[in-house]
Amino acid sequence: TVIYDIICIEINSEATMLQFLLTISDESNHDKIKYIYDRYHEYMMRFALGKLRDAGRRDFLIEAEDIVQNCFMKIVGNIDKINLFFKK
């Protein structure tokens, strides 16, 4: 069931990315969100999963997804304050 849960998280992650992008009207901010998401989402999930699993949390997969989604919502809310230097 863990593999099934991980696959579901990946599917939900793609839907979550679309939700984040739909909340942003400025195209340059779309690029920022996509860059940050693509670069850090997997790392953030692994970190959250490890911490919650080590703490003995029963629903660590669901909790990790919620934590990472909340982090990205904060990033989206502050995206105008984030300056990134990257090539498109």
Side-chain angles (χ1 to χ4, degrees):
T1 62
V2 173
I3 292 174
Y4 173 79
D5 290 341
I6 290 172
I7 291 169
C8 289
I9 287 172
E10 287 304 315
I11 291 169
N12 288 338
S13 295
E14 294 301 320
T16 300
M17 177 60 170
L18 180 60
Q19 289 173 334
F20 290 144
L21 291 177
L22 290 174
T23 64
I24 305 295
S25 59
D26 183 352
E27 186 67 32
S28 66
N29 286 341
H30 276 220
D31 293 341
K32 285 185 203 178
I33 293 294
K34 184 164 178 10
Y35 176 81
I36 293 168
Y37 187 90
D38 290 344
R39 180 144 175 123
Y40 296 105
H41 180 264
E42 184 177 342
Y43 171 77
M44 292 168 69
M45 278 299 297
R46 288 178 189 244
F47 182 82
L49 285 168
K51 291 293 186 180
L52 292 168
R53 186 176 43 241
D54 291 348
R57 302 297 291 231
R58 291 179 56 122
D59 294 328
F60 65 91
L61 289 168
I62 295 167
E63 288 184 53
E65 187 178 40
D66 288 345
I67 289 167
V68 172
Q69 184 174 359
N70 288 337
C71 289
F72 272 99
M73 290 305 291
K74 288 183 180 185
I75 291 169
V76 168
N78 291 288
I79 197 66
D80 290 331
K81 300 174 188 174
I82 298 173
N83 292 316
L84 294 176
F85 300 100
F86 63 95
K87 294 181 182 179
K88 291 184 181 180

